[in-house]
Amino acid sequence: MPIDIVLDAMGSDKAPEPEIRGAILACRQLDVRVHLTGPEDLLRPKLREALKAYARGERLPVFISQASEWINMDDKAAQAVRSKRDSSMRVGLKMVREGRAAGFVTAGNTGAAMATAKMVLGSLSGVDRPALATIVPTTTGRPSLLLDVGANVDSDPENLVQFAVMGHVYAKNVLRIPNPRLGLLSIGEEDGKGNSLTRDTLPLLRELKGINFIGNVEGRDLFNGHADVIVCDGFVGNVALKTCEGTAKLLTVSLKESLKSTVTSQVGALLSRKAFADFKKRLDYSEYGGAILLGVRGVSIVGHGSSNERAIMNGIRVAAEFAQAEVNQGIETALSAR
Amino acid sequence: MPIDIVLDAMGSDKAPEPEIRGAILACRQLDVRVHLTGPEDLLRPKLREALKAYARGERLPVFISQASEWINMDDKAAQAVRSKRDSSMRVGLKMVREGRAAGFVTAGNTGAAMATAKMVLGSLSGVDRPALATIVPTTTGRPSLLLDVGANVDSDPENLVQFAVMGHVYAKNVLRIPNPRLGLLSIGEEDGKGNSLTRDTLPLLRELKGINFIGNVEGRDLFNGHADVIVCDGFVGNVALKTCEGTAKLLTVSLKESLKSTVTSQVGALLSRKAFADFKKRLDYSEYGGAILLGVRGVSIVGHGSSNERAIMNGIRVAAEFAQAEVNQGIETALSAR
């Protein structure tokens, strides 16, 4: 039976085109029904056109749910959530709360999406603060899960313990990693290394029953697969994630400049073009579908503002997988068993 | 007139070979005299041999200063500093304190080097906690200075302000950047974004006279040259630096795998080999000479444990530039003028 996913049609930088095409792509490749939220008068003709162009008139289960407003990237999250009461995010998340959809996907304002999800869906029992998790590629080819990447700055040890439990359940149920290895992001492997937050958190993680805690890991371990789940404070996680983006950019620019410098290099670059494309694809965030909001009473995925149709489709896939894997019950059970 | 630099001969993972060769390289390329600290009976024959092999018997100003002990990479810093009272680090730093050398370089245990430097040299007036700074390459080709990268976890706003002043003076006097732009590492550009530390620090940085503070910068700005000096807590800086290492490793591994996948790619890789070498060199930490300890009463450079002779030579160059640029007086003046 197809699963219903609601998609904020007004989220991404180029909305609603990537959303409409991503919804079409998802309906053709996955067993889903997609509900686009946004102004119907704007979306209806564009959807009709896109179905003609990309689905050659094929009947696909893409629907529109009316929302008169939407939140922009530069809107202040707290204010926008309060003032835009009929936003495409809020309408979508209400559909999740009312059981009319199994999950929500947006490529819009991350702060607003988190705030709206917390307000509309509420937190799971035992969760003080929901966290934003992201899948990172590793040299082993098997992805790791990093959380929190920005939902909570100034976390306390109890927050990190809850992040650990949530990450564990997600890695096990959705990523299907048996007995996932949990690491605490710090600045040295020994138990004594770190700041006051990590030093206070480490003994609490050691005490957690049923969780395969492997101790501290370092920034360089984020992408080598030493741990399947890595927990950290949201400030640190966000800095790490953006540092990774910055490094990738620096390496790409430098490599391009080096390749331009001689004729043989240019020929070489030409001959390895397929390899470069393959390389880019392996590291492309759009393959991972966006960040996962863990700890709210529902399924909520937040993609990058620059998401293309492929990223949107993967966001829908991630939402469907999350919804089907009974993650939230698992988290509540695990937290109540502590 | 040549400048005297003292070099811990027993620091790096492969000590003393990279140190001896690095010292020879430095004496041939720079106007320096290098004093190697370590066990003379071990160093003397190796130095004689290296001079024969690499300097063809040329007379070079490389000297040996006796130290009977040395600190290993896996020694606990605090304990090693207390128990090894005649270590090559301590002997070297004493020579700096006594004015017999203008600067100290080691590729050894970072924690022990920082602790010994603080103990032997003491802090500059107005500095509560010395910081470790590192030069990072950027897409503009002009380097930036990042601090603190691990000397102080759990910094307070006053610490960050002092780091800012120290980084400013170093960037101006040594890197010769006029009116260096200072950024505060955070998770969003607006003033309100960040954690409690950065939010409390930001107004203090805005008040600093004579410093070109440009506000918050993000992890992705570390390598794009938006700021010349970037300050952060040592935990965050260390995570960022190691995340950068991890990302570079991931990208290199992925690119190699992609290049191996087809015959044309292999040919392409072969033809672009020079470009890859050039690319690697641009990003090679050994070109930057190591981390700079700012805030102690003297000059102290800490290189990577895996330093090769080129990295050692660059460490000596950085120490000499630091010593000649009157950075420490500049820091004391700037801090007292606040």
Side-chain angles (χ1 to χ4, degrees):
Chain A
M1 224 187 78
I3 185 163
D4 288 276
I5 301 294
V6 55
L7 171 65
D8 173 8
M10 306 304 291
S12 77
D13 298 340
K14 296 184 178 160
E17 279 74 13
E19 281 83 353
I20 290 176
R21 282 192 246 161
I24 292 175
L25 212 55
C27 287
R28 300 181 78 178
Q29 301 201 3
L30 311 165
D31 193 17
V32 293
R33 296 152 41 107
V34 179
H35 305 262
L36 296 164
T37 58
E40 182 154 10
D41 51 355
L42 183 130
L43 298 176
R44 183 67 64 198
K46 285 182 191 282
L47 175 60
R48 198 175 298 132
E49 221 174 277
L51 281 169
K52 243 187 241 164
Y54 300 102
R56 280 163 247 128
E58 193 183 338
R59 276 186 71 90
L60 289 173
V62 184
F63 309 97
I64 293 171
S65 291
Q66 165 66 14
S68 61
E69 297 174 297
W70 61 91
I71 295 172
N72 294 311
M73 284 298 176
D74 40 9
D75 279 339
K76 299 265 169 206
Q79 202 186 319
V81 171
R82 269 197 312 274
S83 65
K84 297 187 174 174
R85 305 185 60 90
D86 194 41
S87 73
S88 52
M89 280 187 189
R90 190 147 169 181
V91 168
L93 284 158
K94 269 193 203 154
M95 287 175 67
V96 173
R97 189 185 62 196
E98 291 160 6
R100 292 159 58 205
F104 170 74
V105 178
T106 180
N109 187 316
T110 306
M114 289 191 299
T116 310
K118 283 192 235 178
M119 185 185 64
V120 173
L121 302 175
S123 297
L124 292 174
S125 90
V127 174
D128 292 319
R129 294 202 202 164
L132 208 55
T134 190
I135 302 266
V136 293
T138 75
T139 49
T140 65
R142 200 164 87 158
S144 295
L145 190 72
L146 175 67
L147 76 166
D148 174 39
V149 295
N152 306 285
V153 298
D154 301 313
S155 308
D156 66 21
E158 172 62 20
N159 297 140
L160 292 196
V161 169
Q162 293 174 13
F163 299 168
V165 171
M166 296 194 292
H168 170 84
V169 173
Y170 191 88
K172 212 171 135 179
N173 292 19
V174 182
L175 306 179
R176 301 183 186 279
I177 301 170
N179 201 23
R181 293 155 304 162
L182 171 75
L184 174 63
L185 185 58
S186 187
I187 62 168
E189 285 179 7
E190 305 85 23
D191 277 14
K193 290 284 173 79
N195 59 9
S196 62
L197 172 63
T198 66
R199 285 195 308 267
D200 290 348
T201 304
L202 192 127
L204 302 180
L205 294 177
R206 286 231 181 279
E207 278 168 21
L208 270 182
K209 274 170 259 159
I211 288 195
N212 182 12
F213 179 53
I214 60 165
N216 285 334
V217 297
E218 297 189 77
R220 63 169 74 101
D221 299 318
L222 287 178
F223 314 100
N224 65 14
H226 282 196
D228 302 302
V229 179
I230 298 167
V231 288
C232 60
D233 165 66
F235 183 87
V236 172
N238 194 277
V239 167
L241 207 61
K242 286 178 182 159
T243 299
C244 165
E245 252 183 68
T247 308
K249 182 92 191 191
L250 170 69
L251 295 179
T252 315
V253 169
S254 304
L255 188 56
K256 273 190 188 155
E257 280 176 15
S258 298
L259 283 172
K260 261 192 261 167
S261 65
T262 72
V263 175
T264 18
S265 296
Q266 287 173 42
V267 175
L270 207 68
L271 288 176
S272 17
R273 194 186 279 170
K274 204 190 144 292
F276 276 94
D278 174 51
F279 161 72
K280 266 179 96 172
K281 191 174 165 215
R282 282 180 61 153
L283 303 169
D284 187 359
Y285 73 90
S286 65
E287 297 298 312
Y288 298 97
I292 303 140
L293 188 57
L294 287 175
V296 291
R297 202 170 287 286
V299 168
S300 209
I301 306 297
V302 188
H304 205 286
S306 65
S307 288
N308 56 19
E309 60 194 84
R310 189 162 179 80
I312 297 285
M313 192 266 285
N314 277 311
I316 293 170
R317 181 182 49 73
V318 170
E321 288 170 359
F322 184 169
Q324 286 172 312
E326 302 189 351
V327 175
N328 288 340
Q329 288 129 287
I331 289 173
E332 288 192 330
T333 308
L335 284 175
S336 72
R338 277 174 66 204
Chain B
M1 225 187 75
I3 186 161
D4 288 275
I5 300 294
V6 55
L7 171 65
D8 173 7
M10 306 304 290
S12 78
D13 298 341
K14 294 184 178 163
E17 279 74 14
E19 280 84 353
I20 291 176
R21 281 192 246 161
I24 292 173
L25 211 56
C27 287
R28 301 181 77 179
Q29 302 202 3
L30 312 166
D31 193 18
V32 292
R33 297 152 41 106
V34 179
H35 304 263
L36 295 164
T37 58
E40 180 154 13
D41 51 355
L42 183 129
L43 297 176
R44 184 67 65 197
K46 284 182 190 286
L47 175 59
R48 197 176 298 132
E49 223 173 274
L51 282 169
K52 244 188 241 164
Y54 301 101
R56 283 164 244 126
E58 194 184 335
R59 278 186 70 90
L60 289 173
V62 184
F63 310 97
I64 294 171
S65 291
Q66 166 64 15
S68 61
E69 298 172 297
W70 60 90
I71 294 171
N72 294 310
M73 284 298 177
D74 40 9
D75 280 338
K76 299 263 169 208
Q79 201 185 320
V81 170
R82 271 196 311 275
S83 65
K84 296 186 173 172
R85 304 186 59 91
D86 195 40
S87 72
S88 53
M89 278 187 191
R90 190 146 168 182
V91 168
L93 284 158
K94 270 192 202 155
M95 289 175 65
V96 174
R97 189 185 59 195
E98 292 160 5
R100 292 157 60 203
F104 170 74
V105 178
T106 180
N109 186 313
T110 306
M114 289 192 297
T116 309
K118 283 193 236 177
M119 186 184 64
V120 173
L121 302 175
S123 296
L124 293 175
S125 90
V127 173
D128 293 319
R129 295 201 199 164
L132 209 53
T134 192
I135 303 267
V136 292
T138 74
T139 48
T140 66
R142 200 164 90 159
S144 295
L145 190 72
L146 174 68
L147 77 167
D148 175 42
V149 294
N152 307 286
V153 297
D154 301 313
S155 308
D156 65 24
E158 172 61 22
N159 297 141
L160 292 196
V161 170
Q162 293 175 14
F163 299 168
V165 171
M166 298 195 290
H168 170 84
V169 174
Y170 191 89
K172 210 170 137 181
N173 292 18
V174 182
L175 306 180
R176 299 182 186 282
I177 301 170
N179 201 22
R181 294 155 303 162
L182 171 75
L184 174 64
L185 184 58
S186 188
I187 61 169
E189 285 179 7
E190 304 86 25
D191 277 16
K193 290 282 173 82
N195 60 9
S196 62
L197 173 63
T198 66
R199 285 194 308 263
D200 290 348
T201 303
L202 193 128
L204 303 180
L205 294 177
R206 287 230 181 278
E207 279 168 22
L208 269 182
K209 274 170 259 158
I211 288 194
N212 182 11
F213 179 53
I214 60 165
N216 286 334
V217 297
E218 298 189 78
R220 62 169 74 100
D221 299 319
L222 287 178
F223 314 101
N224 65 12
H226 281 195
D228 302 303
V229 179
I230 298 167
V231 289
C232 59
D233 165 66
F235 182 87
V236 172
N238 194 277
V239 167
L241 207 61
K242 287 179 180 158
T243 299
C244 165
E245 255 184 68
T247 308
K249 182 92 191 191
L250 170 69
L251 295 180
T252 315
V253 169
S254 304
L255 187 56
K256 275 189 187 157
E257 279 175 19
S258 297
L259 283 171
K260 262 192 262 169
S261 65
T262 72
V263 176
T264 19
S265 297
Q266 287 172 44
V267 176
L270 206 68
L271 288 176
S272 19
R273 194 185 280 171
K274 206 192 142 292
F276 276 95
D278 173 51
F279 162 72
K280 267 179 96 171
K281 193 176 161 211
R282 281 179 61 151
L283 304 170
D284 188 359
Y285 71 91
S286 67
E287 296 298 312
Y288 298 96
I292 302 140
L293 189 55
L294 287 175
V296 292
R297 202 170 286 287
V299 169
S300 212
I301 305 297
V302 188
H304 205 284
S306 64
S307 287
N308 56 17
E309 60 194 86
R310 189 162 180 82
I312 298 284
M313 193 266 284
N314 277 311
I316 293 169
R317 180 181 50 73
V318 171
E321 289 170 357
F322 184 168
Q324 288 173 310
E326 302 190 349
V327 175
N328 289 341
Q329 288 129 284
I331 290 173
E332 288 191 333
T333 308
L335 284 175
S336 73
R338 275 175 67 204

